Each structure stands twice: as structure tokens, then as C-alpha cells.
């Protein structure tokens, strides 16, 4: 039987937990309001959006005309095509960095080779290179390749041939893959290096090689950090505008992702700006599905490597 003091402490603890959650719900509502306004305006006409705020909308004003327009196949920037383009960019730009970086992170963490420390430092230092300053040189390389003319000899060495992939989705996801690799290696290395050393020693005693250890032990134990990076990388590539605009631009309108297509929906002088809420909500739907599908790994992946096991 609880004493009065024990009951009062329990009541105080519950009251404290309830009050401490108030700021969290307040922040959640603040962040939810723009999304709610976007959702409501996506079902309103142009005159309705201009005439009053979304909180004054009545059910009779709702219409699906905006969604029908943005998905029309005969429009220049149809979201139906651009959604497929965004998937064609985001999926390879997410899977390829994870696949390569996982092997590299395991090598940096548990394989002892000469120059490992300095090679890892050089790899991570690439994070300091601004993305914006490399876009135009990369675009020129995709078009004409990378060559070096040797002085006094007059010969030209070709390091990278002219691929001619400008104006394609390949140029976009290839750029995303290159710039995501250092961060992926850094994040996965922090997590993999924190795994218990005993399990690796036991596996080596049983005769397992590095590939077996990586495939049977490291990958299953690294699912949280892999999922966390997948969320970050997918959201980054799906919501990217600058790289897609630079690499594709107006050269190939059929390859434009949703971000560029939505920016073009407004038309000349913003005459179709009422279509933007519908397009933006469609564009935001896929990242929301990805996030909620992997959210149970999100917090665990954020703390990857912060505590040594």
C-alpha cells in the first residue's frame, strides 16, 4: 500500500511528464501548420487561394482540378513523368553510395593496411569541398571528358573520356553519388568501428574471411545506420533542385525531376501559381512515406558511433 508521500510523488512525476511534453506538441503544431495550409490550398481554386486564407475554406470550395491539371500527360511539366524521373535519380543515388561506402567503412575500421589513417582523413576532408563550386567543372567533364596536355611533349593524356551524359538523369545521380560518398563513409565508419571487437575475433577463429564477416555480421548489425543514411540521402536527392537544373536544365525537358517541374508550373508571370500547392504536396508525399517507413531506425542511426560498444 502506497503512502501519501509516495502517491504525491507519482502524481508529481506524471504532471511533470505532461508539462514537459507541452513544448514538443507546440513545436509540432508550428511545423504542421504550413503543411496543413499547403494541403488545403491544393484543393482550392486560384480565386479561392487569392481571396482568403486556408483557415476560412468551406467544404463547397474544394476541387480536385489542380491535381488533374498537374498530372495531365499533355502538359510540358507533367508530374506523372517527373515523378518517375525523380525515382530514377533518387534510387541509384541512395543505393550506390550505401553499397560502396559500407565496404570502405569496414575496411577503414577493421582491416589494417598501410596508409589507412591518412587515406581516411583525405576521404573525410572532401566534405569541405563546396558542392556549388564543382558543378560546372563536373558538367564540362561529362560533356568533354578530362584531359591533360603534357608540356614540351605535346601529347594529351585522357583520364576520363567524353561521356556526353549531360541532359540525362545519369549525370544527376552520378553527381549525388560522388558527393554523398565521403559522408556515407564517415557515418558508417563511426558505427562499424564501435561494434564489439570480440565478435570479429570469434569469427576469425572460426575461419571466416573479411567478406564473410562483413556480409554475415556487419551488415545485419548496421541496419539502423544504413537506414538513417538512406533517409538522409533519399530526401536530399528527391528534394534537390540545383544539381538537376545544372545537369539537365532545358537540354532535355523529358528528364526533369519534380523539383524543377514544379518550379516551372507557375508559368509566365505566375499565371498558374495556384497549381504549386498541389504539385508541392504530391512531391512531398513520397519522402513522407519513406520517412515513416524507416523512422524506427532513424534515431538509432543518428546516434551511430556516439557510444563505444
Amino acid at each position: 500500500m502506497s503512502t501519501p508521500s509516495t502517491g504525491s510523488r507519482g502524481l508529481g512525476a506524471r504532471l511533470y511528464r505532461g508539462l514537459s511534453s507541452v513544448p514538443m506538441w507546440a513545436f509540432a503544431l508550428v511545423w504542421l501548420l504550413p503543411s496543413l495550409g499547403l494541403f488545403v490550398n491544393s484543393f482550392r481554386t486560384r480565386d479561392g487561394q487569392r481571396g482568403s486564407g486556408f483557415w476560412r475554406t468551406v467544404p463547397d470550395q474544394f476541387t480536385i482540378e489542380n491535381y488533374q491539371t498537374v498530372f495531365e500527360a499533355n502538359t510540358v511539366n507533367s508530374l506523372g513523368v517527373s515523378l518517375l524521373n525523380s525515382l530514377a535519380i533518387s534510387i541509384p543515388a541512395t543505393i550506390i553510395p550505401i553499397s560502396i561506402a559500407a565496404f570502405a567503412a569496414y575496411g577503414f575500421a577493421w582491416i589494417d593496411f598501410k596508409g589507412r589513417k591518412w587515406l581516411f582523413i583525405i576521404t573525410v576532408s572532401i566534405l569541405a569541398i563546396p558542392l556549388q563550386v564543382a558543378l560546372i567543372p563536373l558538367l564540362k567533364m561529362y560533356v568533354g571528358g578530362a584531359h591533360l596536355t603534357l608540356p614540351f611533349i605535346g601529347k594529351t593524356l585522357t583520364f576520363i573520356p567524353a561521356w556526353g551524359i549531360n541532359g540525362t538523369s545519369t549525370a544527376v545521380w552520378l553527381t549525388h553519388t560522388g558527393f554523398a560518398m565521403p559522408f556515407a563513409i564517415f557515418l558508417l565508419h563511426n558505427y562499424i568501428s564501435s561494434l564489439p571487437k570480440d565478435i570479429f575475433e570469434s569469427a576469425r577463429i572460426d575461419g571466416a574471411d573479411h567478406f564473410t564477416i562483413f556480409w554475415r555480421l556487419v551488415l545485419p548489425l548496421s541496419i539502423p545506420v544504413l537506414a538513417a543514411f538512406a533517409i538522409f540521402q533519399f530526401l536530399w536527392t528527391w528534394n534537390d533542385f540545383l544539381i538537376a537544373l545544372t545537369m539537365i536544365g532545358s537540354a532535355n525537358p523529358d528528364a526533369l525531376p519534380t523539383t524543377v517541374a514544379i518550379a516551372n508550373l507557375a508559368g509566365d508571370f505566375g499565371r498558374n501559381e495556384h497549381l504549386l500547392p498541389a504539385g508541392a504536396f504530391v512531391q512531398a508525399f513520397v519522402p513522407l512515406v519513406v520517412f515513416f517507413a524507416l523512422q524506427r531506425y532513424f534515431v538509432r542511426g543518428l546516434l551511430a558511433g556516439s557510444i563505444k560498444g
Side-chain angles (χ1 to χ4, degrees):
M1 183 175 181
S2 61
T3 62
S5 59
T6 304
S8 62
R9 284 198 300 268
L11 179 60
R14 289 193 297 271
L15 182 61
Y16 174 78
R17 287 195 297 267
L19 291 177
S20 62
S21 64
V22 171
M24 180 189 67
W25 285 107
F27 280 115
L29 290 175
V30 170
W31 282 102
L32 181 63
L33 280 177
S35 300
L36 178 61
L38 184 72
F39 178 72
V40 173
N41 278 331
S42 66
F43 291 98
R44 303 177 72 194
T45 62
R46 179 183 181 183
D47 295 335
Q49 293 179 18
R50 289 187 171 187
S52 62
F54 73 91
W55 55 89
R56 296 184 178 179
T57 306
V58 295
D60 295 339
Q61 297 178 349
F62 288 157
T63 177
I64 61 172
E65 183 179 353
N66 295 339
Y67 287 95
Q68 292 174 343
T69 303
V70 299
F71 278 108
E72 285 179 358
N74 58 350
T75 57
V76 178
N77 297 289
S78 173
L79 286 190
V81 176
S82 64
L83 284 172
L84 297 178
N85 295 334
S86 293
L87 289 174
I89 293 171
S90 301
I91 293 177
T94 302
I95 295 177
I96 295 176
I98 291 178
S99 304
I100 299 176
F103 281 104
Y106 173 77
F108 282 128
W110 295 105
I111 299 179
D112 189 14
F113 58 90
K114 188 176 181 179
R116 178 181 66 172
K117 179 180 179 181
W118 286 106
L119 184 58
F120 179 73
I121 293 174
I122 293 173
T123 302
V124 175
S125 65
I126 300 176
L127 289 169
I129 300 177
L131 169 67
Q132 293 78 5
V133 302
L135 289 182
I136 300 303
L138 281 174
L139 180 60
K140 291 183 178 180
M141 186 190 70
Y142 293 154
V143 176
H147 312 279
L148 176 64
T149 302
L150 299 177
F152 308 110
I153 300 178
K155 292 185 178 180
T156 301
L157 297 179
T158 300
F159 296 97
I160 299 176
W163 292 336
I165 58 176
N166 59 305
T168 64
S169 59
T170 303
V172 183
W173 66 254
L174 194 61
T175 304
H176 279 294
T177 299
F179 278 94
M181 201 72 67
F183 176 71
I185 294 175
F186 175 73
L187 182 67
L188 297 179
H189 171 269
N190 287 350
Y191 187 89
I192 293 175
S193 62
S194 67
L195 295 176
K197 187 178 181 179
D198 296 341
I199 62 174
F200 296 99
E201 294 178 348
S202 301
R204 292 191 187 97
I205 292 175
D206 292 337
D209 56 8
H210 283 296
F211 182 79
T212 303
I213 294 174
F214 174 80
W215 186 256
R216 297 293 181 89
L217 295 177
V218 175
L219 280 185
L221 294 174
S222 302
I223 288 178
V225 70
L226 294 176
F229 176 77
I231 292 175
F232 280 122
Q233 181 65 5
F234 186 87
L235 294 181
W236 166 248
T237 54
W238 183 270
N239 294 322
D240 169 70
F241 176 83
L242 179 61
I243 296 178
L245 183 64
T246 303
M247 298 299 170
I248 299 177
S250 59
N252 187 9
D254 294 333
L256 292 176
T258 54
T259 50
V260 183
I262 290 172
N264 296 334
L265 276 178
D268 297 333
F269 307 106
R271 59 183 178 180
N272 295 325
E273 80 279 358
H274 62 286
L275 300 176
L276 295 180
F281 195 80
V282 171
Q283 196 270 343
F285 179 75
V286 175
L288 288 175
V289 172
V290 172
F291 177 79
F292 286 113
L294 301 176
Q295 64 173 334
R296 60 175 177 168
Y297 302 112
F298 189 64
V299 176
R300 294 167 60 188
L302 286 178
L303 299 177
S306 61
I307 301 175
K308 282 288 184 179

